Amino acid sequence: MKDISTHKLERLERLIDGARRISIVTHMKPDGDAMGSSVAMYGFLRSCGKEDVKIVLPDRFPSNLDFITAGLPSGTILTHESGARAAEAAIASSDLVICLDFNAFHRADRLEKVLRSSSAAKVLIDHHLNPDRAPFAVSFSETEISSASELLYHVLTAMPQIGGDARRLPAESATALMTGMTTDTNNFANSTYPSTLEMASSLLAAGVDRDAILYNLYNRHSENRLRLMGHMMKDLLTITADGVAYIVLDRKTQLEYHVEEGDTEGFVNMPLSIESVKMSLLLKEDAGLVRVSVRSKKGISANMCARQHFNGGGHENAAGGRLYIPGDIADVTQAAAYVERHTHIFMTEEDEK
């Protein structure tokens, strides 16, 4: 890992040793990697004797991830969505803030303001492009890696308390790290590197129950989710002549199928199984905007498409963005036309390269 130097590790160790109150913060709409890395960091800090540690989230996390948080003491996780005052107070009173799985404060959405105003030392551990390193006392940033959970695994195992032996990781941390990596690679279907498989092997050897993780991630969904999947693939999927598949999921449909956070996880990847499809987009209506997930096959940059046309960015083949209402479109009914127009421009430019 090119960004894990002895100097940075020593700096991190000193910050942890000197901290009395620590907040762990991740991005809005936290997914498996965000929660996996957060819970893993929490477990490690507790094993170091740190008693006042909070995980502070902008929004609630998907219910199928509750198995990695089940053993945490009550009050450990604070969510701005349901308790703004407590969440902001935790960060404001911390002398160390560890930011995981996001590259700039704005990705923490509701928590951005309190993060910027906090005088605490801050640590960044992230795998996205273009990190804003300026606010951080120490930053670990790698892009050629599967996930924030994998990067955190390499950071933690390099710490003197672990000494390169994954068996010394707290059990809850090891399980959470495997969970985060599994979700961000779509169960090893993308963004998988030699280091990713080495991590998985070491965690399995350390006793992580991968079968239990897979059961909790993929076999505890609601009936509504399966019916929604069928409706989306049969009735909402559109494939353009440019090889772009897209689905627009409006609020009405979300309410009809009782969609909860995380219920559509992985759906955007499904159209890529079609040979003619080069890029896939899932658009979900939210308050004042439409959230956009972009996935692509090798040779097509989801990152560039999201950056140029959807106010976002990310990894080469997995990115995200948003359409603002009314800035980009008047309402969700215009989303399909926007997608077709702008992906045609993007794909035409790609063909001309």
Side-chain angles (χ1 to χ4, degrees), residues 149-289:
S149 292
E150 185 190 339
L151 180 54
L152 179 60
Y153 166 84
H154 294 297
V155 170
L156 294 184
T157 54
M159 294 289 281
Q161 298 92 326
I162 308 302
D165 187 352
R167 293 172 297 181
R168 294 181 181 175
L169 287 167
E172 67 267 36
S173 295
T175 295
L177 290 169
M178 181 75 93
T179 300
M181 178 273 291
T182 299
T183 59
D184 239 34
T185 61
N186 190 25
N187 198 15
F188 298 100
N190 51 260
S191 301
T192 301
Y193 298 86
S195 60
T196 313
L197 299 177
E198 291 168 6
M199 167 193 177
S201 178
S202 295
L203 290 176
L204 286 172
V208 169
D209 188 345
R210 180 168 146 78
D211 289 340
I213 291 173
L214 294 179
Y215 174 82
N216 279 289
L217 288 177
Y218 303 121
N219 294 321
R220 292 178 55 224
H221 294 300
S222 67
E223 177 184 341
N224 281 329
R225 181 181 185 274
L226 188 63
R227 295 190 181 280
L228 172 65
M229 184 195 305
H231 173 56
M232 289 171 63
M233 298 306 159
K234 178 179 180 293
D235 302 317
L236 302 183
L237 176 64
T238 297
I239 302 174
T240 73
D242 298 307
V244 175
Y246 71 89
I247 295 170
V248 178
L249 189 60
D250 60 22
R251 288 292 297 165
K252 179 181 177 182
T253 304
Q254 294 178 55
L255 291 171
E256 179 182 352
Y257 285 90
H258 306 284
V259 175
E260 297 183 358
E261 194 62 43
D263 276 354
T264 59
E265 186 73 25
F267 286 1
V268 67
N269 296 294
M270 292 180 177
L272 292 176
S273 65
I274 301 171
E275 185 176 7
S276 62
V277 171
K278 302 173 185 177
M279 186 164 62
S280 175
L281 295 86
L282 173 61
L283 296 90
K284 289 177 62 177
E285 184 182 9
D286 205 340
L289 55 85

Side-chain angles (χ1 to χ4, degrees), residues 3-15 137-140 159:
D3 209 26
I4 303 178
S5 66
T6 300
H7 171 73
K8 288 187 176 183
L9 291 169
E10 290 174 349
R11 176 69 170 143
L12 176 61
E13 186 178 12
R14 288 196 298 271
L15 289 172
V138 60
S139 60
F140 300 90
M159 294 289 281

Side-chain angles (χ1 to χ4, degrees), residues 30-36 39 55 57 60-73 77 172 175-176 179-180 183 212-213 215-222 260-263:
D31 56 9
D33 191 25
M35 291 307 300
V39 172
I55 297 173
L57 308 175
R60 61 191 174 91
F61 60 91
S63 60
N64 71 321
L65 296 171
D66 57 13
F67 71 99
I68 62 172
T69 66
L72 273 56
I77 298 178
E172 67 267 36
T175 295
T179 300
T183 59
I213 291 173
Y215 174 82
N216 279 289
L217 288 177
Y218 303 121
N219 294 321
R220 292 178 55 224
H221 294 300
S222 67
E260 297 183 358
E261 194 62 43
D263 276 354

Side-chain angles (χ1 to χ4, degrees), residues 304-312 322-323 328 338 341-343 345-347 349:
M304 290 306 299
C305 183
R307 286 171 64 86
Q308 292 174 6
H309 300 284
F310 295 98
N311 306 296
R322 53 183 62 186
L323 295 178
D328 296 305
Y338 184 99
R341 181 170 65 256
H342 285 268
T343 59
I345 294 170
F346 178 77
M347 297 301 285
E349 291 172 347

Side-chain angles (χ1 to χ4, degrees), residues 288-327:
L289 55 85
V290 176
R291 300 190 182 277
V292 185
S293 296
V294 188
R295 301 292 184 269
S296 63
K297 289 179 178 175
K298 190 173 182 179
I300 302 295
S301 178
N303 171 51
M304 290 306 299
C305 183
R307 286 171 64 86
Q308 292 174 6
H309 300 284
F310 295 98
N311 306 296
H315 304 291
E316 187 65 10
N317 299 118
R322 53 183 62 186
L323 295 178
Y324 293 101
I325 299 173

Side-chain angles (χ1 to χ4, degrees), residues 12-77:
L12 176 61
E13 186 178 12
R14 288 196 298 271
L15 289 172
I16 292 173
D17 286 345
R20 186 169 60 89
R21 291 180 175 175
I22 304 175
S23 289
I24 299 167
V25 180
T26 190
H27 59 74
M28 59 183 149
K29 307 291 183 183
D31 56 9
D33 191 25
M35 291 307 300
S37 55
S38 296
V39 172
M41 192 68 191
Y42 173 87
F44 174 77
L45 293 172
R46 293 285 289 177
S47 75
C48 294
K50 299 299 169 180
E51 296 183 357
D52 195 347
V53 183
K54 303 294 185 187
I55 297 173
V56 187
L57 308 175
D59 319 281
R60 61 191 174 91
F61 60 91
S63 60
N64 71 321
L65 296 171
D66 57 13
F67 71 99
I68 62 172
T69 66
L72 273 56
S74 177
T76 296
I77 298 178

